[in-house]
Structures are given as C-alpha cells and as structure tokens.
C-alpha cells in the first residue's frame, strides 16, 4: 500500500545537487528511448511479419550483455564513473541520429536494423555498469537505496509513457520521427550531464589484477555469497522466461488481438504503467528489511500473470494482466538491484553489479529467441504461457532458500542490519 506521508527520504535524496541534475533531463530521455524501442519493434514486424525476427532483434539488443558485462564491470571499477556514464549516453544520442537518417531516407532494412540493435547491445553493458557505480557518487550512502528507487520510478515512467506515445505517433508521423525525438532528448541529457561532478564518489584502495582474474574474483564472490548467488539464479530464470513477453507484444497486438500499432502502444503502455506503479511502491516503501521476501513473493505473481496474459484471448483482460506483469517485473528487478547495492562490498560493486546487468539484459535475449522459435511452432499463446509457468517453478525453489538469503542480503557486507 502506498502511504502518502512516507516521502521524507525521497525529498532528502533529491536535495543533493548532482542527483537532482541527473534526474532533470533523464525523464524525457527515457520516454523518447522507449518510444524508439516501440518503433524498432514495429519496424521489425512491418519488414518481416515474423515472431522469430522479433526475437532475433531483441537478442541483438540484449544478448551481448551476457559476454560483455563481466568486462564492463571491471572497466567501471577502474574508470571515472561520471566520464564513463557521459560517453555511453552520448553513444545513444549518435545511434538515434543515424537511425533516424537511414529510416527517413528509406535505406533501412532488416539487416541494418539488426546492426543497430547490436550497437545498442554492445553499448548497454558499459552504460549499465557505469550507472551502477555512478549512483553512489550522486548521494551519500544512506540515501543510495532511495536514489535507486527514484531512478527506477523515472525509468518506468518512460516505460509507461514512451511506448504509448510511440504507438500513437507512428501512424501520423512515421517511425523515423520517434528516432529523431530520441536524438534530441539524449542530446539535451548528455549536455546536462557535463554539469555533474560526482561529489560523493567512494575512495577505495584497489589491488588491480589482470582483467580475467578480477572477473573470476567477482564470480567466486557472488557464488559464495549466501544471498547474492541464489538471487542471481532466481533472476536468471525469471528474466529469461517472463521478460521476453514484452518483445512478443507486436505479435500479440497484430496476430492475437488484431489491434495494430495503436494496440501495441497501449499494451506496452499498460506494461510500463504497471512498472511505474511498482517503482513508486518500492520508492515509498523505503526500508530494505523484508525486501527479500517481497521479491520472492512477486516472482510467483509474475509467473501467474504472464501465463494469464497469454491465455486470456481478450484484449481488455490482456491489458490488465500485462499491467500486473509490468508491476511484478519492476518489483523483482529493481528490488534485486537495490538489495545487491546494499549487500555488496564497495570494492566489488562494479563487477558484481555487472553480473546483475548481465542477467537482467542478457538472459531475456536467450529467452526471446527460445520463445520466438517455440511460437513459430506452437503459437505465441502457448509459448508465453509456458514461460510464465517456468517462473512459478522457480518461485517454488526460491521459497526454500528464504531463511539463508534474507540475513545475507538485508544485513549488508558489514553484517549489520540495514534500516
């Protein structure tokens, strides 16, 4: 339940100059980014009318994270996080500009669209790893959990408004217009980020080793951690199974519900709105205590609503179910990110959080390919319903580990309980 008076910690976190500046232009940039993602999905469907190609384009966007994230985490632990963050945002800006020009001139094709998705896929792990180390430079440690939740709220605001805006703008203005908007807003965001200093950066003495040795250390650390290891396994299953439903929505909008681009916009908007409500709920919730159980419980709800969406056969019921899927995906994903940030040792932050990024972005790519191929053989409905059922099986396993995961995640690296 959202309690209207429980916002003092939010006001305090936004009172820090760098944190305020970062969020100032983030919202419009994320709205335009999600509008662009809608455009890419619809353009893929227009060019091919193939669920397999929807999965392939999604894989090109997401799969590189599986291979690159461990390396990007080492880079983030070594680099200036503010500078690294600016570079990755500037790449998004240039990417959108070139994509707009090729689409506007009619020179875009499915293979060039695949290449653009790969560019995003290679940039995103560095952007995400930089962001994981960048957040602690914006606020003091006591406000870090709130800052992460605020960012998730803004992210899901973009996820809610961007797809709906994209779906509504495609018909009157064309797909290229969405790419132009993304270029404009990321130009403003990159320019604004030049004002950020990173005043709360942690000063940590690091004994640098070879890159592969440092990656190995992070894998051992995560595997031996009584909370981070099992939660990464749970996140892997749910990310691979539930999150590809978003990549399949163009097929549901056109083939299952017969609603076209307009219907796709509302399906994606409903999913994003659920994510926004989930992020707001997490933001006002505040304390870390009890968050492990919340994540595990919402894993079951995620699986159940994913299955119900696939089997509904009704557009309006589908909107309700996809809203619930978006809510639970945000609660589990953002909740896991927050609890990892609080539990991990500072010297390992970039590398361990890159493992989170690898799972969060990479495994949906594998799932999207698998669901796309299964959908070609058995139809979208049964492929997505089966994915939701797999999430419920993962929930059964995770329930047995709650007693060991909870203290390991909620007490922090120093063994002391977090508020």
């Amino acid at each position: 339940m959202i309690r209207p008076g429980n916002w003092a910690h939010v006001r305090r976190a936004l009172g820090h100059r760098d944190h305020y500046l970062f969020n100032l232009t983030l919202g419009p940039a994320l709205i335009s980014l999600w509008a662009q993602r809608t455009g890419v999905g619809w353009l893929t469907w227009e060019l091919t009318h193939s669920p397999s190609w929807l999965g392939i384009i999604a894989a090109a966007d997401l799969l590189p994270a599986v291979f690159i994230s461990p390396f990007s985490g080492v880079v983030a632990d070594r680099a200036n996080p503010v500078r690294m963050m600016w570079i990755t945002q500037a790449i998004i800006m240039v990417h959108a500009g070139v994509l707009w020009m090729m689409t506007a001139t009619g020179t875009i094709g499915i293979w060039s669209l695949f290449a653009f998705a790969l560019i995003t896929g290679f940039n995103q792990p560095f952007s995400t790893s930089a962001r994981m180390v960048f957040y602690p430079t914006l606020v003091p440690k006591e406000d870090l959990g709130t800052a992460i939740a605020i960012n998730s709220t803004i992210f899901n605001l973009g996820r809610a408004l961007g797809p709906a805006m994209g779906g509504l703008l495609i018909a009157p203005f064309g797909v290229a217009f969405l790419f132009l908007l993304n270029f404009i807003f990321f130009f403003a965001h990159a320019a604004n980020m030049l004002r950020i200093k990173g005043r709360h950066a942690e000063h940590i003495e690091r004994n640098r080793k070879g890159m592969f040795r440092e990656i190995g250390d992070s894998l051992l650390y995560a595997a031996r951690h009584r909370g981070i290891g099992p939660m990464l396994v749970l996140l892997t299953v749910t990310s691979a199974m539930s999150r590809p439903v978003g990549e399949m929505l163009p097929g549901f909008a056109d083939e299952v519900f017969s609603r076209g681009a307009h219907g796709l916009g509302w399906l994606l908007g409903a999913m994003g709105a659920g994510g926004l409500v989930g992020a707001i709920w997490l933001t006002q919730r505040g304390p870390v205590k009890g968050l492990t159980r919340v994540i595990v419980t919402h894993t079951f709800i995620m699986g159940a609503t994913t299955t119900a969406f696939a089997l509904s056969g009704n557009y309006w019921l589908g909107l309700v179910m996809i809203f619930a899927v978006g809510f639970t995906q945000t609660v589990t994903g953002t909740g896991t990110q927050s609890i990892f940030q609080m539990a991990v040792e500072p010297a390992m932050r970039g590398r361990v959080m890159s493992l989170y990024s690898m799972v969060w972005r990479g495994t949906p790519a594998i799932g999207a390919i698998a669901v796309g191929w299964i959908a070609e053989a058995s139809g979208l409905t049964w492929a997505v319903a089966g994915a939701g059922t797999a999430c419920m099986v993962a929930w059964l396993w995770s329930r047995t580990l709650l007693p060991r995961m909870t203290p390991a995640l909620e007490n922090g690296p120093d063994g002391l309980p977090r508020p």
Side-chain angles (χ1 to χ4, degrees):
M1 179 178 177
I2 297 178
R3 295 161 291 188
N6 195 25
W7 297 96
H9 58 293
V10 175
R11 291 191 294 270
R12 186 177 66 243
L14 288 173
H16 302 290
R17 176 185 179 275
D18 282 353
H19 188 219
Y20 169 76
L21 284 176
F22 176 67
N23 288 316
L24 188 63
T25 50
L26 181 64
L30 288 177
I31 291 171
S32 66
L33 182 63
W34 277 96
Q36 174 171 298
R37 286 174 64 90
T38 302
V40 168
W42 188 253
L43 185 57
T44 301
W45 186 257
E46 279 193 328
L47 291 170
T48 66
H49 289 277
S50 166
S52 290
W53 265 111
L54 289 174
I56 291 169
I57 294 296
D61 183 1
L62 301 173
L63 191 58
V66 173
F67 308 102
I68 297 174
S69 290
F71 298 95
S72 69
V74 175
V75 173
D77 273 338
R78 295 177 176 181
N80 180 313
V82 178
R83 186 179 299 118
M84 184 175 175
M85 188 68 180
W86 183 86
I87 291 171
T88 57
Q89 304 307 287
I91 290 172
I92 295 174
M93 173 193 71
V94 174
H95 173 277
V98 178
L99 183 58
W100 161 62
M101 286 189 289
M102 289 191 65
T103 305
T105 56
T107 56
I108 197 78
I110 191 59
W111 285 106
S112 51
L113 197 61
F114 175 79
F116 278 111
L118 274 180
I119 293 171
T120 299
F122 276 89
N123 181 60
Q124 193 62 36
F126 291 95
S127 174
T128 303
S129 294
R131 190 169 69 248
M132 299 300 179
V133 182
F134 175 70
Y135 285 150
T137 73
L138 300 178
V139 296
K141 189 172 183 178
E142 59 268 21
D143 292 326
L144 178 58
T146 301
I148 293 169
I150 291 171
N151 178 262
S152 178
T153 301
I154 297 173
F155 174 87
N156 283 286
L157 176 66
R159 189 183 179 195
L161 298 181
M165 182 181 77
L168 292 172
L169 292 178
I170 287 174
F173 298 106
V175 173
F177 182 70
L178 304 183
F179 306 151
L180 174 61
L181 282 181
N182 197 40
F183 169 76
I184 293 171
F185 284 117
F186 263 92
F187 179 87
H189 186 50
N192 182 54
M193 283 194 62
L194 293 173
R195 304 165 63 192
I196 293 174
K197 307 299 181 184
R199 300 168 188 269
H200 297 278
E202 297 169 301
H203 299 285
I204 302 167
E205 293 294 328
R206 294 184 174 92
N207 183 21
R208 289 192 181 183
K209 308 172 185 177
M211 182 167 284
F212 287 98
R213 179 74 179 275
E214 292 193 34
I215 292 172
D217 288 347
S218 67
L219 291 171
L220 283 174
Y221 176 87
R224 292 171 177 171
H225 197 286
R226 293 171 66 86
I228 291 176
M231 194 63 82
L232 271 175
V233 173
L234 180 63
L235 186 69
T236 298
V237 175
T238 57
S239 295
M241 294 294 100
S242 178
R243 289 189 57 217
V245 68
E247 312 303 336
M248 297 297 114
L249 287 182
F252 272 94
D254 190 44
E255 189 175 283
V256 177
F257 298 130
S258 301
R259 296 280 176 158
H262 187 269
L264 171 63
W266 284 108
L267 283 170
L268 287 167
M271 191 175 188
L276 176 61
V277 174
I280 293 172
W281 180 77
L282 273 180
T283 301
Q284 64 83 40
R285 182 183 182 278
V288 171
K289 184 175 175 60
L291 187 54
T292 308
R293 181 174 292 276
V294 167
I295 294 167
V296 170
T297 300
H298 280 77
T299 297
F300 170 78
I301 302 172
M302 181 198 307
T305 52
T306 298
T307 303
F309 167 76
L311 298 177
S312 66
N314 179 277
Y315 178 68
W316 300 107
L317 180 58
L319 283 174
V320 174
M321 290 298 103
I322 206 66
F323 175 92
V325 170
F327 181 95
T328 54
Q329 285 183 355
T330 295
V331 170
T332 55
T334 303
T336 301
Q337 181 191 150
S338 297
I339 213 165
F340 278 13
Q341 285 274 23
M342 302 304 290
V344 69
E345 293 180 9
M348 299 290 293
R349 188 186 305 279
R351 283 165 285 172
V352 170
M353 295 311 297
S354 74
L355 298 178
Y356 167 88
S357 171
M358 178 180 71
V359 170
W360 182 245
R361 281 193 61 81
T363 53
I366 299 171
I369 293 175
V371 171
W373 284 344
I374 294 170
E376 293 279 6
S378 63
L380 283 166
T381 294
W382 293 110
V384 173
T389 302
C391 292
M392 290 186 277
V393 173
W395 163 77
L396 283 173
W397 168 79
S398 64
R399 283 188 64 206
T400 66
L401 299 178
L402 261 177
R404 69 176 264 193
M405 287 196 300
T406 300
L409 290 168
E410 296 180 14
N411 287 352
D414 53 10
L416 298 177
R418 294 297 183 227

